Amino acid sequence: MARLRQQQVHAPAAAPPARTPGASLQELRETLLAQAAQATGAPATLSAEDSDTFELLGLLFAQIGRELRSGGAGQDLLAQLEVPLARLALQDRGFFAEDAHPARRLLNTVAEAHAACLDEEPDPQTRAALQDTVEELAADPQGAAGAFDRANQRME
């Protein structure tokens, strides 16, 4: 988990280049395993539960990405949420079990704001609010559900 925090904290401050949501989860998983192997000197593996978490997140991001306009800001925002959501889902198994989980609500807000605008981006005010919220979450090294809850309250 500490390696996942480092991965997020050391991520570049600028927005990541456009990519397909979910694609970097595999890269993140491989990076974490490589870092663990380097630290211990032995091959590293994830627990079955953690491996399932990465797989489920990958499927979730891929499905949401298919519903968004290719190359749009929505995909960039989803890409920025991958590390905070991965960290949260690894810590809080309720992410997958609770429909009303704060992180799932925020993910829905981001996806719905962009899926509703197939031909254009959301209005500038909504887009700026979403961007600010996602950047705050990406910069938060703790990534607790409370941070997602506060983000939802701001967006509502």
Side-chain angles (χ1 to χ4, degrees), residues 10-70:
H10 290 85
R19 62 182 185 248
T20 304
S24 70
L25 284 172
Q26 183 63 27
E27 294 171 12
L28 174 62
R29 182 177 188 246
E30 291 172 8
T31 299
L32 294 173
L33 289 172
Q35 289 173 348
Q38 184 178 11
T40 62
T45 60
L46 294 174
S47 69
E49 195 171 62
D50 288 348
S51 184
D52 288 347
T53 297
F54 273 103
E55 184 175 342
L56 287 171
L57 283 172
L59 292 170
L60 177 63
F61 277 107
Q63 178 60 38
I64 293 170
R66 283 190 288 276
E67 296 174 14
L68 299 179
R69 186 166 56 107
S70 180

Short mmCIF file of all heavy atoms in Angstrom, two decimals, residues 10-70:
data_model
loop_
_atom_site.label_atom_id
_atom_site.label_comp_id
_atom_site.label_asym_id
_atom_site.label_seq_id
_atom_site.Cartn_x
_atom_site.Cartn_y
_atom_site.Cartn_z
N HIS A 10 4.24 10.66 -6.50
CA HIS A 10 5.29 10.98 -7.46
C HIS A 10 4.77 11.10 -8.89
O HIS A 10 5.54 11.31 -9.80
CB HIS A 10 6.41 9.92 -7.41
CG HIS A 10 7.19 10.02 -6.12
ND1 HIS A 10 6.78 9.40 -4.98
CD2 HIS A 10 8.30 10.71 -5.82
CE1 HIS A 10 7.64 9.68 -4.01
NE2 HIS A 10 8.57 10.47 -4.49
N ALA A 11 3.47 10.98 -9.05
CA ALA A 11 2.90 11.17 -10.40
C ALA A 11 3.09 12.62 -10.80
O ALA A 11 3.08 13.51 -9.96
CB ALA A 11 1.42 10.81 -10.39
N PRO A 12 3.28 12.90 -12.07
CA PRO A 12 3.47 14.27 -12.50
C PRO A 12 2.25 15.12 -12.18
O PRO A 12 1.13 14.66 -12.24
CB PRO A 12 3.68 14.15 -14.02
CG PRO A 12 3.32 12.78 -14.40
CD PRO A 12 3.31 11.94 -13.16
N ALA A 13 2.49 16.39 -11.86
CA ALA A 13 1.41 17.29 -11.50
C ALA A 13 0.55 17.64 -12.71
O ALA A 13 -0.62 17.92 -12.58
CB ALA A 13 1.99 18.56 -10.86
N ALA A 14 1.15 17.66 -13.88
CA ALA A 14 0.39 17.99 -15.08
C ALA A 14 -0.57 16.86 -15.40
O ALA A 14 -0.38 15.72 -14.99
CB ALA A 14 1.35 18.20 -16.25
N ALA A 15 -1.60 17.20 -16.14
CA ALA A 15 -2.57 16.18 -16.54
C ALA A 15 -1.87 15.12 -17.37
O ALA A 15 -0.99 15.43 -18.18
CB ALA A 15 -3.68 16.83 -17.36
N PRO A 16 -2.22 13.85 -17.16
CA PRO A 16 -1.57 12.79 -17.92
C PRO A 16 -1.97 12.86 -19.38
O PRO A 16 -3.02 13.41 -19.71
CB PRO A 16 -2.10 11.52 -17.27
CG PRO A 16 -3.40 11.92 -16.67
CD PRO A 16 -3.25 13.35 -16.28
N PRO A 17 -1.16 12.30 -20.27
CA PRO A 17 -1.56 12.29 -21.67
C PRO A 17 -2.83 11.46 -21.83
O PRO A 17 -3.11 10.58 -21.03
CB PRO A 17 -0.37 11.63 -22.38
CG PRO A 17 0.38 10.92 -21.31
CD PRO A 17 0.09 11.61 -20.02
N ALA A 18 -3.59 11.78 -22.86
CA ALA A 18 -4.84 11.07 -23.10
C ALA A 18 -4.56 9.57 -23.27
O ALA A 18 -3.62 9.19 -23.94
CB ALA A 18 -5.53 11.62 -24.34
N ARG A 19 -5.37 8.75 -22.64
CA ARG A 19 -5.23 7.30 -22.77
C ARG A 19 -6.58 6.67 -22.47
O ARG A 19 -7.46 7.31 -21.93
CB ARG A 19 -4.16 6.77 -21.84
CG ARG A 19 -4.44 7.01 -20.37
CD ARG A 19 -3.30 6.48 -19.52
NE ARG A 19 -3.63 6.60 -18.14
CZ ARG A 19 -3.02 7.41 -17.29
NH1 ARG A 19 -2.06 8.17 -17.70
NH2 ARG A 19 -3.38 7.47 -16.04
N THR A 20 -6.70 5.45 -22.79
CA THR A 20 -7.94 4.74 -22.56
C THR A 20 -8.10 4.44 -21.08
O THR A 20 -7.18 3.89 -20.47
CB THR A 20 -7.95 3.42 -23.35
OG1 THR A 20 -7.71 3.71 -24.72
CG2 THR A 20 -9.25 2.68 -23.19
N PRO A 21 -9.24 4.81 -20.48
CA PRO A 21 -9.43 4.49 -19.07
C PRO A 21 -9.26 3.00 -18.82
O PRO A 21 -9.75 2.17 -19.57
CB PRO A 21 -10.88 4.94 -18.81
CG PRO A 21 -11.11 6.00 -19.81
CD PRO A 21 -10.35 5.56 -21.03
N GLY A 22 -8.58 2.67 -17.74
CA GLY A 22 -8.34 1.28 -17.39
C GLY A 22 -7.02 0.75 -17.90
O GLY A 22 -6.48 -0.20 -17.34
N ALA A 23 -6.48 1.33 -18.96
CA ALA A 23 -5.25 0.82 -19.55
C ALA A 23 -4.07 0.93 -18.60
O ALA A 23 -3.21 0.05 -18.56
CB ALA A 23 -4.94 1.55 -20.86
N SER A 24 -4.01 1.98 -17.80
CA SER A 24 -2.86 2.16 -16.94
C SER A 24 -2.94 1.34 -15.65
O SER A 24 -1.96 1.24 -14.93
CB SER A 24 -2.65 3.64 -16.61
OG SER A 24 -3.66 4.08 -15.76
N LEU A 25 -4.09 0.76 -15.36
CA LEU A 25 -4.17 -0.08 -14.16
C LEU A 25 -3.23 -1.27 -14.25
O LEU A 25 -2.58 -1.63 -13.27
CB LEU A 25 -5.60 -0.56 -13.92
CG LEU A 25 -6.55 0.48 -13.36
CD1 LEU A 25 -7.97 -0.05 -13.35
CD2 LEU A 25 -6.13 0.91 -11.98
N GLN A 26 -3.15 -1.87 -15.42
CA GLN A 26 -2.22 -2.99 -15.61
C GLN A 26 -0.78 -2.51 -15.44
O GLN A 26 0.03 -3.18 -14.81
CB GLN A 26 -2.42 -3.65 -16.98
CG GLN A 26 -1.53 -4.86 -17.22
CD GLN A 26 -1.79 -6.00 -16.24
OE1 GLN A 26 -2.89 -6.17 -15.72
NE2 GLN A 26 -0.78 -6.80 -15.99
N GLU A 27 -0.49 -1.34 -15.99
CA GLU A 27 0.85 -0.77 -15.84
C GLU A 27 1.15 -0.49 -14.37
O GLU A 27 2.26 -0.76 -13.90
CB GLU A 27 0.97 0.53 -16.64
CG GLU A 27 0.88 0.35 -18.13
CD GLU A 27 0.79 1.67 -18.87
OE1 GLU A 27 1.01 2.73 -18.26
OE2 GLU A 27 0.47 1.63 -20.06
N LEU A 28 0.18 0.06 -13.65
CA LEU A 28 0.34 0.34 -12.23
C LEU A 28 0.60 -0.95 -11.46
O LEU A 28 1.52 -1.01 -10.63
CB LEU A 28 -0.90 1.05 -11.68
CG LEU A 28 -0.95 1.28 -10.18
CD1 LEU A 28 0.19 2.18 -9.74
CD2 LEU A 28 -2.30 1.87 -9.79
N ARG A 29 -0.17 -1.96 -11.75
CA ARG A 29 -0.01 -3.26 -11.08
C ARG A 29 1.40 -3.81 -11.33
O ARG A 29 2.08 -4.27 -10.39
CB ARG A 29 -1.07 -4.23 -11.62
CG ARG A 29 -1.05 -5.58 -11.00
CD ARG A 29 -2.21 -6.40 -11.56
NE ARG A 29 -2.31 -7.63 -10.85
CZ ARG A 29 -2.09 -8.82 -11.40
NH1 ARG A 29 -1.80 -8.92 -12.67
NH2 ARG A 29 -2.19 -9.90 -10.68
N GLU A 30 1.84 -3.77 -12.57
CA GLU A 30 3.17 -4.28 -12.91
C GLU A 30 4.27 -3.45 -12.24
O GLU A 30 5.27 -4.01 -11.77
CB GLU A 30 3.35 -4.30 -14.42
CG GLU A 30 2.49 -5.35 -15.09
CD GLU A 30 2.50 -5.27 -16.61
OE1 GLU A 30 3.29 -4.49 -17.17
OE2 GLU A 30 1.69 -5.99 -17.24
N THR A 31 4.09 -2.15 -12.17
CA THR A 31 5.07 -1.29 -11.52
C THR A 31 5.17 -1.61 -10.03
O THR A 31 6.28 -1.71 -9.48
CB THR A 31 4.69 0.20 -11.71
OG1 THR A 31 4.69 0.50 -13.10
CG2 THR A 31 5.64 1.12 -10.97
N LEU A 32 4.02 -1.78 -9.39
CA LEU A 32 4.02 -2.11 -7.96
C LEU A 32 4.70 -3.45 -7.70
O LEU A 32 5.48 -3.58 -6.74
CB LEU A 32 2.59 -2.13 -7.42
CG LEU A 32 1.88 -0.79 -7.41
CD1 LEU A 32 0.42 -0.97 -7.01
CD2 LEU A 32 2.58 0.19 -6.49
N LEU A 33 4.42 -4.43 -8.53
CA LEU A 33 5.05 -5.74 -8.37
C LEU A 33 6.56 -5.65 -8.60
O LEU A 33 7.34 -6.26 -7.86
CB LEU A 33 4.42 -6.77 -9.31
CG LEU A 33 3.00 -7.20 -8.96
CD1 LEU A 33 2.41 -8.05 -10.07
CD2 LEU A 33 2.98 -7.93 -7.63
N ALA A 34 6.98 -4.88 -9.59
CA ALA A 34 8.41 -4.72 -9.86
C ALA A 34 9.11 -4.01 -8.71
O ALA A 34 10.21 -4.40 -8.31
CB ALA A 34 8.62 -3.95 -11.17
N GLN A 35 8.46 -2.99 -8.15
CA GLN A 35 9.05 -2.28 -7.02
C GLN A 35 9.16 -3.18 -5.80
O GLN A 35 10.16 -3.16 -5.08
CB GLN A 35 8.22 -1.04 -6.68
CG GLN A 35 8.34 0.07 -7.69
CD GLN A 35 7.39 1.22 -7.41
OE1 GLN A 35 6.47 1.12 -6.59
NE2 GLN A 35 7.60 2.32 -8.12
N ALA A 36 8.14 -3.99 -5.56
CA ALA A 36 8.17 -4.92 -4.42
C ALA A 36 9.26 -5.96 -4.61
O ALA A 36 9.98 -6.31 -3.67
CB ALA A 36 6.81 -5.58 -4.24
N ALA A 37 9.40 -6.46 -5.84
CA ALA A 37 10.43 -7.46 -6.12
C ALA A 37 11.81 -6.86 -5.94
O ALA A 37 12.72 -7.50 -5.40
CB ALA A 37 10.26 -8.00 -7.54
N GLN A 38 11.98 -5.62 -6.37
CA GLN A 38 13.28 -4.97 -6.22
C GLN A 38 13.61 -4.73 -4.75
O GLN A 38 14.74 -4.91 -4.32
CB GLN A 38 13.28 -3.63 -6.97
CG GLN A 38 14.62 -2.94 -6.95
CD GLN A 38 14.60 -1.64 -7.75
OE1 GLN A 38 13.55 -1.16 -8.15
NE2 GLN A 38 15.76 -1.08 -7.98
N ALA A 39 12.60 -4.37 -3.97
CA ALA A 39 12.82 -4.10 -2.55
C ALA A 39 13.15 -5.36 -1.76
O ALA A 39 13.95 -5.33 -0.83
CB ALA A 39 11.59 -3.42 -1.94
N THR A 40 12.53 -6.49 -2.15
CA THR A 40 12.73 -7.72 -1.39
C THR A 40 13.77 -8.65 -2.02
O THR A 40 14.25 -9.56 -1.36
CB THR A 40 11.41 -8.50 -1.26
OG1 THR A 40 10.96 -8.88 -2.57
CG2 THR A 40 10.35 -7.68 -0.56
N GLY A 41 14.05 -8.43 -3.30
CA GLY A 41 14.99 -9.31 -3.99
C GLY A 41 14.37 -10.63 -4.41
O GLY A 41 15.07 -11.54 -4.84
N ALA A 42 13.07 -10.75 -4.27
CA ALA A 42 12.37 -11.98 -4.65
C ALA A 42 11.16 -11.61 -5.50
O ALA A 42 10.63 -10.51 -5.38
CB ALA A 42 11.92 -12.73 -3.40
N PRO A 43 10.72 -12.54 -6.33
CA PRO A 43 9.52 -12.24 -7.12
C PRO A 43 8.34 -11.90 -6.21
O PRO A 43 8.16 -12.50 -5.14
CB PRO A 43 9.24 -13.54 -7.88
CG PRO A 43 10.54 -14.27 -7.87
CD PRO A 43 11.25 -13.87 -6.61
N ALA A 44 7.55 -10.92 -6.62
CA ALA A 44 6.42 -10.49 -5.81
C ALA A 44 5.11 -10.89 -6.50
O ALA A 44 5.06 -10.96 -7.72
CB ALA A 44 6.47 -8.99 -5.61
N THR A 45 4.12 -11.14 -5.69
CA THR A 45 2.78 -11.44 -6.21
C THR A 45 1.76 -10.68 -5.38
O THR A 45 2.03 -10.31 -4.23
CB THR A 45 2.46 -12.95 -6.15
OG1 THR A 45 2.52 -13.37 -4.79
CG2 THR A 45 3.41 -13.76 -7.00
N LEU A 46 0.61 -10.49 -5.96
CA LEU A 46 -0.49 -9.89 -5.23
C LEU A 46 -1.33 -11.00 -4.61
O LEU A 46 -1.37 -12.12 -5.13
CB LEU A 46 -1.39 -9.09 -6.18
CG LEU A 46 -0.80 -7.84 -6.82
CD1 LEU A 46 -1.78 -7.26 -7.83
CD2 LEU A 46 -0.45 -6.81 -5.77
N SER A 47 -2.00 -10.67 -3.54
CA SER A 47 -2.95 -11.64 -2.98
C SER A 47 -4.07 -11.82 -4.01
O SER A 47 -4.27 -10.98 -4.90
CB SER A 47 -3.52 -11.12 -1.66
OG SER A 47 -4.36 -10.00 -1.91
N ALA A 48 -4.80 -12.90 -3.89
CA ALA A 48 -5.91 -13.16 -4.81
C ALA A 48 -6.92 -12.02 -4.74
O ALA A 48 -7.46 -11.58 -5.76
CB ALA A 48 -6.57 -14.48 -4.48
N GLU A 49 -7.16 -11.52 -3.54
CA GLU A 49 -8.13 -10.44 -3.36
C GLU A 49 -7.65 -9.15 -4.04
O GLU A 49 -8.41 -8.48 -4.72
CB GLU A 49 -8.34 -10.21 -1.86
CG GLU A 49 -9.56 -9.39 -1.54
CD GLU A 49 -9.84 -9.40 -0.04
OE1 GLU A 49 -8.98 -8.91 0.72
OE2 GLU A 49 -10.92 -9.86 0.35
N ASP A 50 -6.37 -8.81 -3.88
CA ASP A 50 -5.82 -7.61 -4.52
C ASP A 50 -5.78 -7.76 -6.03
O ASP A 50 -6.07 -6.82 -6.77
CB ASP A 50 -4.43 -7.29 -3.98
CG ASP A 50 -4.45 -6.76 -2.56
OD1 ASP A 50 -5.55 -6.43 -2.05
OD2 ASP A 50 -3.38 -6.69 -1.94
N SER A 51 -5.45 -8.94 -6.50
CA SER A 51 -5.46 -9.21 -7.94
C SER A 51 -6.86 -9.05 -8.51
O SER A 51 -7.05 -8.44 -9.58
CB SER A 51 -4.92 -10.62 -8.20
OG SER A 51 -4.83 -10.85 -9.58
N ASP A 52 -7.86 -9.56 -7.78
CA ASP A 52 -9.25 -9.40 -8.21
C ASP A 52 -9.65 -7.93 -8.23
O ASP A 52 -10.38 -7.49 -9.12
CB ASP A 52 -10.20 -10.16 -7.28
CG ASP A 52 -10.12 -11.67 -7.45
OD1 ASP A 52 -9.52 -12.14 -8.44
OD2 ASP A 52 -10.66 -12.37 -6.57
N THR A 53 -9.17 -7.17 -7.26
CA THR A 53 -9.48 -5.74 -7.21
C THR A 53 -8.97 -5.04 -8.47
O THR A 53 -9.70 -4.26 -9.09
CB THR A 53 -8.86 -5.09 -5.95
OG1 THR A 53 -9.48 -5.68 -4.80
CG2 THR A 53 -9.08 -3.59 -5.93
N PHE A 54 -7.74 -5.31 -8.85
CA PHE A 54 -7.20 -4.70 -10.07
C PHE A 54 -7.99 -5.13 -11.30
O PHE A 54 -8.28 -4.32 -12.19
CB PHE A 54 -5.71 -5.04 -10.25
CG PHE A 54 -4.79 -4.09 -9.54
CD1 PHE A 54 -4.19 -4.46 -8.34
CD2 PHE A 54 -4.51 -2.84 -10.08
CE1 PHE A 54 -3.34 -3.58 -7.69
CE2 PHE A 54 -3.66 -1.96 -9.43
CZ PHE A 54 -3.08 -2.33 -8.22
N GLU A 55 -8.35 -6.40 -11.35
CA GLU A 55 -9.10 -6.90 -12.50
C GLU A 55 -10.47 -6.24 -12.59
O GLU A 55 -10.90 -5.81 -13.67
CB GLU A 55 -9.25 -8.42 -12.43
CG GLU A 55 -9.93 -8.99 -13.65
CD GLU A 55 -9.98 -10.51 -13.63
OE1 GLU A 55 -9.20 -11.15 -12.89
OE2 GLU A 55 -10.80 -11.05 -14.39
N LEU A 56 -11.17 -6.16 -11.46
CA LEU A 56 -12.50 -5.54 -11.46
C LEU A 56 -12.42 -4.05 -11.81
O LEU A 56 -13.26 -3.54 -12.56
CB LEU A 56 -13.16 -5.72 -10.09
CG LEU A 56 -13.64 -7.13 -9.78
CD1 LEU A 56 -14.08 -7.24 -8.32
CD2 LEU A 56 -14.76 -7.54 -10.72
N LEU A 57 -11.42 -3.36 -11.28
CA LEU A 57 -11.27 -1.94 -11.62
C LEU A 57 -10.98 -1.77 -13.12
O LEU A 57 -11.50 -0.85 -13.76
CB LEU A 57 -10.15 -1.29 -10.80
CG LEU A 57 -10.49 -0.96 -9.37
CD1 LEU A 57 -9.24 -0.51 -8.62
CD2 LEU A 57 -11.58 0.09 -9.28
N GLY A 58 -10.16 -2.64 -13.66
CA GLY A 58 -9.86 -2.58 -15.09
C GLY A 58 -11.12 -2.75 -15.93
O GLY A 58 -11.34 -2.02 -16.89
N LEU A 59 -11.95 -3.72 -15.55
CA LEU A 59 -13.21 -3.94 -16.27
C LEU A 59 -14.14 -2.74 -16.12
O LEU A 59 -14.78 -2.32 -17.09
CB LEU A 59 -13.90 -5.21 -15.75
CG LEU A 59 -13.20 -6.53 -16.06
CD1 LEU A 59 -13.85 -7.68 -15.29
CD2 LEU A 59 -13.22 -6.80 -17.55
N LEU A 60 -14.19 -2.18 -14.92
CA LEU A 60 -15.05 -1.03 -14.67
C LEU A 60 -14.61 0.17 -15.50
O LEU A 60 -15.42 0.80 -16.18
CB LEU A 60 -15.03 -0.69 -13.17
CG LEU A 60 -15.82 0.53 -12.73
CD1 LEU A 60 -17.31 0.33 -13.00
CD2 LEU A 60 -15.58 0.78 -11.24
N PHE A 61 -13.32 0.49 -15.48
CA PHE A 61 -12.82 1.63 -16.25
C PHE A 61 -12.98 1.39 -17.75
O PHE A 61 -13.29 2.32 -18.50
CB PHE A 61 -11.36 1.92 -15.91
CG PHE A 61 -11.20 2.76 -14.67
CD1 PHE A 61 -10.74 2.21 -13.49
CD2 PHE A 61 -11.50 4.11 -14.70
CE1 PHE A 61 -10.59 2.99 -12.36
CE2 PHE A 61 -11.34 4.90 -13.58
CZ PHE A 61 -10.89 4.34 -12.39
N ALA A 62 -12.77 0.18 -18.20
CA ALA A 62 -12.92 -0.12 -19.63
C ALA A 62 -14.37 0.09 -20.06
O ALA A 62 -14.62 0.67 -21.14
CB ALA A 62 -12.46 -1.54 -19.93
N GLN A 63 -15.32 -0.37 -19.25
CA GLN A 63 -16.73 -0.19 -19.60
C GLN A 63 -17.11 1.28 -19.62
O GLN A 63 -17.77 1.74 -20.54
CB GLN A 63 -17.62 -0.95 -18.60
CG GLN A 63 -19.10 -0.79 -18.86
CD GLN A 63 -19.52 -1.28 -20.24
OE1 GLN A 63 -19.02 -2.28 -20.73
NE2 GLN A 63 -20.44 -0.57 -20.87
N ILE A 64 -16.69 2.02 -18.62
CA ILE A 64 -17.00 3.45 -18.59
C ILE A 64 -16.35 4.14 -19.79
O ILE A 64 -16.96 4.99 -20.43
CB ILE A 64 -16.55 4.09 -17.27
CG1 ILE A 64 -17.39 3.54 -16.11
CG2 ILE A 64 -16.67 5.61 -17.33
CD1 ILE A 64 -16.88 3.92 -14.74
N GLY A 65 -15.13 3.77 -20.09
CA GLY A 65 -14.41 4.38 -21.21
C GLY A 65 -15.11 4.16 -22.54
O GLY A 65 -15.08 5.04 -23.41
N ARG A 66 -15.75 3.02 -22.71
CA ARG A 66 -16.49 2.75 -23.95
C ARG A 66 -17.69 3.68 -24.10
O ARG A 66 -18.15 3.93 -25.21
CB ARG A 66 -16.94 1.30 -24.01
CG ARG A 66 -15.81 0.34 -24.37
CD ARG A 66 -16.34 -1.05 -24.66
NE ARG A 66 -16.79 -1.76 -23.48
CZ ARG A 66 -16.00 -2.45 -22.66
NH1 ARG A 66 -14.71 -2.52 -22.90
NH2 ARG A 66 -16.49 -3.08 -21.61
N GLU A 67 -18.19 4.19 -22.99
CA GLU A 67 -19.37 5.04 -23.03
C GLU A 67 -19.02 6.52 -23.20
O GLU A 67 -19.91 7.34 -23.38
CB GLU A 67 -20.19 4.84 -21.76
CG GLU A 67 -20.74 3.43 -21.64
CD GLU A 67 -21.45 3.16 -20.33
OE1 GLU A 67 -21.75 4.12 -19.60
OE2 GLU A 67 -21.69 1.98 -20.04
N LEU A 68 -17.74 6.85 -23.14
CA LEU A 68 -17.32 8.24 -23.26
C LEU A 68 -16.79 8.54 -24.65
O LEU A 68 -16.34 7.66 -25.36
CB LEU A 68 -16.23 8.56 -22.23
CG LEU A 68 -16.63 8.39 -20.77
CD1 LEU A 68 -15.44 8.71 -19.88
CD2 LEU A 68 -17.82 9.26 -20.42
N ARG A 69 -16.82 9.81 -24.99
CA ARG A 69 -16.30 10.26 -26.27
C ARG A 69 -14.79 10.02 -26.29
O ARG A 69 -14.07 10.42 -25.38
CB ARG A 69 -16.60 11.75 -26.44
CG ARG A 69 -16.23 12.29 -27.79
CD ARG A 69 -16.84 13.64 -28.01
NE ARG A 69 -16.49 14.60 -27.00
CZ ARG A 69 -15.65 15.60 -27.19
NH1 ARG A 69 -15.07 15.77 -28.34
NH2 ARG A 69 -15.40 16.44 -26.22
N SER A 70 -14.32 9.37 -27.33
CA SER A 70 -12.90 9.06 -27.46
C SER A 70 -12.08 10.34 -27.49
O SER A 70 -12.39 11.27 -28.21
CB SER A 70 -12.68 8.26 -28.75
OG SER A 70 -11.31 7.96 -28.88
#
